[in-house]
Amino acid sequence: MTLSLFTVKKVIGMALMPIPLSLIITLFALLLISTRPKIAKGLLVTAIALLGLTSFDPVANQLIAPLENIYPIFDTQQPVDVVVVLGSAHQHYPNDPAVMQLGRSAIYRLEEGLRILKANPDAQLFVSGFGGHAKIMHDAAIELGTKPSRIVMFPKPKDTEAEANAMASKLIGKRVALVSEASHLRRALGFFQQTGITATPAPAFRLSDSRTEWRIGASENYKSQRAFYEYLGLAWQWLKAKKAEL
């Protein structure tokens, strides 16, 4: 049941991203072009506008900046007991060093986690992620100089909520730095707070830029995609919380 719900969430989430959603609207327009030409034209305009605007840098920045500018960079003068680096993604190249297998978000998260860990010599590093990701993060941290005895892996959680639940018994009552990309932290903190964990957010990197450029491109669309994903995630989190209150 858990796997089924996880898969359904992923499929729906993917379909509602800017590019797939634009393609779905375009497909409906093509299906209606002969029977409902006015509606079809309206759908085509909508699809083009959605794709164009979400790929336009000023729009993309405005979408993601409110999510990314909530929390400041972590102050390493603040002591912590545990640095939690949330799971992300990696590529599967078994013969390559673990660091080279990490995706962009994962390497930024790990680097920020290690920066905080270095300032706290007695702290532990928690890494997570299913499908072998926790092991890759573990090995990458060792390659970057971390002692294996300081690292704890959580290889089973498939999403942030599951990560919070899996770590709760080891984190409640401790000083925790929660590391993820800036756009993800608001939602991540919500899940950790629900389990009774008090964590200080540590944004690893931001996609938004104070210098807006008037350009259209794939990297700009990715900013919008991240924003769409997080807003959908926050909406789902809110609905679940409301359901629990009933």
Side-chain angles (χ1 to χ4, degrees):
M1 179 64 182
T2 303
L3 177 61
S4 177
L5 179 59
F6 175 78
T7 303
V8 169
K9 287 194 300 182
K10 288 297 180 182
V11 170
I12 293 175
M14 181 181 66
L16 294 178
M17 295 301 101
I19 293 176
L21 186 56
S22 299
L23 292 174
I24 291 170
I25 295 171
T26 300
L27 177 61
F28 275 109
L30 294 175
L31 291 173
L32 295 172
I33 195 70
S34 59
T35 57
R36 298 286 191 276
K38 289 185 178 180
I39 294 177
K41 289 177 182 178
L43 289 173
L44 282 173
V45 170
T46 300
I48 293 169
L50 175 62
L51 183 59
L53 288 172
T54 54
S55 301
F56 186 42
D57 194 50
V59 174
N61 269 331
Q62 287 299 313
L63 284 172
I64 199 166
L67 292 167
E68 293 190 328
N69 295 331
I70 302 172
Y71 308 110
I73 297 301
F74 189 89
D75 182 1
T76 54
Q77 297 299 312
Q78 178 176 350
V80 296
D81 302 310
V82 181
V83 180
V84 176
V85 178
L86 295 177
S88 184
H90 69 276
Q91 299 170 319
H92 185 65
Y93 291 105
N95 296 325
D96 290 354
V99 171
M100 293 177 63
Q101 296 184 56
L102 293 177
R104 181 176 66 164
S105 177
I107 191 64
Y108 277 118
R109 295 184 192 196
L110 183 59
E111 287 177 346
E112 175 62 9
L114 296 183
R115 183 180 76 91
I116 299 168
L117 195 72
K118 183 178 180 181
N120 294 271
D122 297 323
Q124 287 184 303
L125 175 68
F126 284 11
V127 294
S128 65
F130 75 106
H133 184 71
K135 183 64 165 62
I136 295 293
M137 293 284 276
H138 170 276
D139 293 349
I142 293 173
E143 290 173 1
L144 293 171
T146 306
K147 293 181 180 179
S149 59
R150 299 183 71 185
I151 309 171
V152 179
M153 288 192 298
F154 293 82
K156 294 183 179 179
K158 290 186 170 134
D159 57 24
T160 310
E161 184 176 14
E163 288 174 320
N165 292 331
M167 297 179 187
S169 63
K170 297 181 182 297
L171 292 180
I172 291 175
K174 293 188 176 181
R175 298 169 297 182
V176 179
L178 184 62
V179 182
S180 189
E181 55 196 273
S183 63
H184 179 230
L185 275 173
R186 178 182 168 188
R187 186 162 59 94
L189 278 170
F191 285 127
F192 276 73
Q193 289 167 355
Q194 286 172 11
T195 65
I197 300 167
T198 300
T200 302
F205 79 104
R206 296 184 176 93
L207 289 169
S208 59
D209 196 328
S210 58
R211 302 167 300 171
T212 299
E213 298 187 24
W214 290 68
R215 66 180 180 217
I216 292 176
S219 59
E220 286 68 38
N221 191 274
Y222 179 71
K223 294 180 187 180
S224 297
Q225 177 181 308
R226 285 295 310 150
F228 273 44
Y229 187 86
E230 288 303 324
Y231 286 127
L232 285 169
L234 286 167
W236 176 253
Q237 189 179 56
W238 180 83
L239 286 172
K240 287 187 69 176
K242 287 298 180 182
K243 183 180 178 181
E245 291 174 3
L246 299 177

